[in-house]
Amino acid sequence: MRIDILTVLPELLESPFAASIMKRAQDKGLVEIHIHNIRDYSTNKHRNVDDYQYGGGAGMVMSIEPIACLIEKLKTERSYQEIIYMTPDGELLEQPLCNTLSLQGNLMILCGHYKGVDERIREHYITKEISIGSYVLSGGELAAAIVVDSVVRLIPGVLNDETSALTDCFQDGLLSPPVYTRPPEFNGWKVPEILLSGDTAKIEMWREDKAIERTKSKRPDLLK
Ligand code: 6GU
């Protein structure tokens, strides 16, 4: 998979992909992540990438020219399955969308800023708009990092134990059951006996019960 991220703040996207699973996925050649600075495609001498909005009103709008220029350039180099715009009015990011995106070859992600991008970018280039929740961030960069993380970890070979993505929270519509590690007792707080029993069938049933119990109490909306 190849992911191209278009941003006015490339420095915000350095560390999220430079460690742990995201770094290993790139080192193994399973994903290429390319960050592009929209400012490098500005056509004016001040390297501006935004302008006042037509009709008046507070807040700047991201200009069409540098973004269009960068998107066009990338599109001549390869075809993209999706050109995504990160925006609070987009489709809510949920696990099924992450699963779908993880099957794609090339993705482009445009990070919104200020009051947003000139609407013509959305009309003519964007194929999908994604929000990560009902709250407003200063820009789309952190949201884009979340999309990339949630998608890249699903690419086959990225996780050490491939089944671990299948047993993730949300993959079966349930939250994950509680987990424990050594010691078996701390401050008198004991690990549930059944987990030490070695009876794998019983343990599986216990985990299923706990997953349902936890989902009922914390996220009843998932059980509908
Ligand atoms: Cl994708 N962008 C911004 N600016 N705020 C958000 C968001 C995206 N998703 C939730 N809030």
Side-chain angles (χ1 to χ4, degrees):
M1 176 182 283
R2 174 178 168 123
I3 304 176
D4 291 273
I5 308 181
L6 288 53
T7 172
V8 291
L9 288 171
E11 59 271 37
L12 280 183
L13 288 163
E14 279 164 21
S15 66
F17 311 128
S20 186
I21 292 170
M22 292 305 112
K23 178 170 192 301
R24 203 167 61 230
Q26 293 171 87
D27 291 347
K28 281 189 183 170
L30 297 168
V31 66
E32 276 181 39
I33 301 171
H34 297 264
I35 314 289
H36 305 271
N37 190 346
I38 294 168
R39 208 171 288 282
D40 293 340
Y41 296 82
S42 172
T43 46
N44 72 44
K45 65 171 185 283
H46 304 291
R47 304 227 305 155
N48 285 341
V49 289
D50 59 347
D51 209 337
Y52 298 100
Q53 55 179 309
Y54 277 124
M60 306 293 276
V61 174
M62 291 172 79
S63 303
I64 191 166
E65 296 100 328
I67 295 170
C69 176
L70 175 50
I71 292 177
E72 291 288 357
K73 185 192 94 128
L74 290 170
K75 280 173 60 165
T76 62
E77 294 165 359
R78 67 198 64 75
S79 64
Y80 288 86
Q81 277 70 52
E82 298 283 7
I83 303 183
I84 298 165
Y85 176 48
M86 299 307 307
T87 173
D89 61 15
E91 171 186 351
L92 263 190
L93 183 69
E94 308 251 33
Q95 193 64 48
L97 177 54
C98 306
N99 295 349
T100 305
L101 291 176
S102 75
L103 303 172
Q104 306 300 344
N106 301 316
L107 299 175
M108 210 189 290
I109 305 180
L110 170 63
C111 302
H113 249 269
Y114 320 109
K115 277 279 157 196
V117 296
D118 188 301
E119 188 67 17
R120 291 166 289 181
I121 290 285
R122 297 172 73 160
E123 283 169 14
H124 298 286
Y125 292 113
I126 298 301
T127 61
K128 191 175 272 302
E129 304 186 324
I130 301 178
S131 161
I132 62 161
S134 305
Y135 42 82
V136 177
L137 302 169
S138 316
E141 284 75 13
L142 300 181
I146 283 168
V147 169
V148 171
D149 185 298
S150 66
V151 167
V152 167
R153 62 188 294 288
L154 297 173
I155 299 171
V158 169
L159 296 183
N160 281 339
D161 175 2
E162 284 214 29
T163 63
S164 68
L166 297 175
T167 59
D168 274 347
C169 203
F170 299 116
Q171 283 296 18
D172 53 5
L174 293 176
L175 302 181
S176 296
V179 291
Y180 300 85
T181 186
R182 289 185 294 182
E185 185 173 341
F186 177 82
N187 272 352
W189 308 329
K190 289 196 173 121
V191 171
E193 203 67 50
I194 190 149
L195 294 178
L196 312 176
S197 70
D199 185 335
T200 49
K202 276 214 174 113
I203 290 171
E204 263 327 292
M205 274 166 50
W206 180 88
R207 286 184 171 148
E208 173 91 20
D209 286 349
K210 289 289 170 190
I212 293 167
E213 191 180 292
R214 183 165 273 195
T215 310
K216 266 187 193 151
S217 92
K218 291 175 192 270
R219 290 292 305 275
D221 58 296
L222 293 177
L223 293 170
K224 279 196 299 239

